[in-house]
Amino acid sequence: MSKQRVSRRQFLNYTLTGVGGFMAAGMLMPMVRFAIDPVLKAEAGGDFIATKQKVDEITSEPVRVDYTYEQVDAWYTSDVTQTAWVYKNENDEIVALSPVCKHLGCTVNWNGDKNNENMFYCPCHGGLYKKNGKNIPGTPPVSPLDVYPTQVKDGILYLGKPEANNLVKEA
């Protein structure tokens, strides 16, 4: 023990500083935890999301495939439903196209226009795309439909995030 005596003023100063620090830590810890918790949380799953589409059932005719995945925004979790147009090309490879028109973001449909069969049609402004997603010159879309990378696991189709169309050869 020290032989130096602590004055009443020093004792109160030490006590109030300790109690104040304890209270500040008690208030800050939940705020810090709230701020960094989403960053530290491990990502579940991977880049590819399972659909309910069986690969054996995919033909050369594009079919609409809807799939749902869980999206986490900070502390809020929601189910998101996405769509893809899926078919097999002449090389028997699976092609998955985004249904989002590159003009204004409307949804395109396969054979949606009776005057333009075997094409993707955007009903908003009459946009047209070929089967491989190439935009038809003279219609509003300025670029091809995006493609989804695909994987097959246990006979089920998995889709990745949309990418720029690599099927269309620019002339």
Side-chain angles (χ1 to χ4, degrees):
M1 278 198 125
S2 173
K3 295 195 181 216
Q4 190 177 13
R5 296 195 59 131
V6 177
S7 70
R8 191 179 307 166
R9 182 175 297 225
Q10 286 176 321
F11 174 76
L12 286 174
N13 196 10
Y14 294 151
T15 304
L16 289 175
T17 302
V19 170
F22 182 74
M23 290 175 62
M27 288 175 25
L28 287 175
M29 284 306 292
M31 288 187 240
V32 170
R33 172 72 190 229
F34 179 78
I36 65 170
D37 190 44
V39 174
L40 298 177
K41 190 173 185 180
E43 276 295 314
D47 291 338
F48 285 84
I49 299 166
T51 66
K52 293 180 181 175
Q53 182 65 46
K54 294 180 182 174
V55 175
D56 299 345
E57 297 173 356
I58 299 173
T59 64
S60 62
E61 183 75 14
V63 292
R64 181 181 171 139
V65 175
D66 294 321
Y67 62 99
T68 303
Y69 63 93
E70 193 174 82
Q71 176 176 305
V72 180
D73 293 322
W75 64 91
Y76 181 71
T77 303
S78 61
D79 287 334
V80 177
T81 300
Q82 293 283 348
T83 301
W85 286 100
V86 179
Y87 68 95
K88 285 187 180 176
N89 64 13
E90 57 276 352
N91 299 329
D92 209 35
E93 299 169 333
I94 297 173
V95 176
L97 294 172
S98 169
V100 179
C101 180
K102 293 303 227 166
H103 176 227
L104 290 176
C106 296
T107 302
V108 300
N109 292 307
W110 177 249
N111 282 334
D113 182 22
K114 293 175 185 174
N115 298 328
N116 297 293
E117 291 186 10
N118 296 324
M119 297 181 110
F120 289 103
Y121 174 72
C122 178
C124 294
H125 297 103
L128 291 172
Y129 298 90
K130 291 184 179 179
K131 188 176 181 180
N132 67 356
K134 180 174 176 30
N135 54 311
I136 304 296
T139 63
V142 293
S143 61
L145 294 173
D146 290 338
V147 295
Y148 290 99
T150 60
Q151 279 186 356
V152 177
K153 291 182 189 171
D154 300 325
I156 301 294
L157 177 67
Y158 284 71
L159 298 176
K161 294 184 174 145
E163 301 172 348
N165 194 322
N166 58 356
L167 306 171
V168 176
K169 309 291 187 252
E170 294 299 324

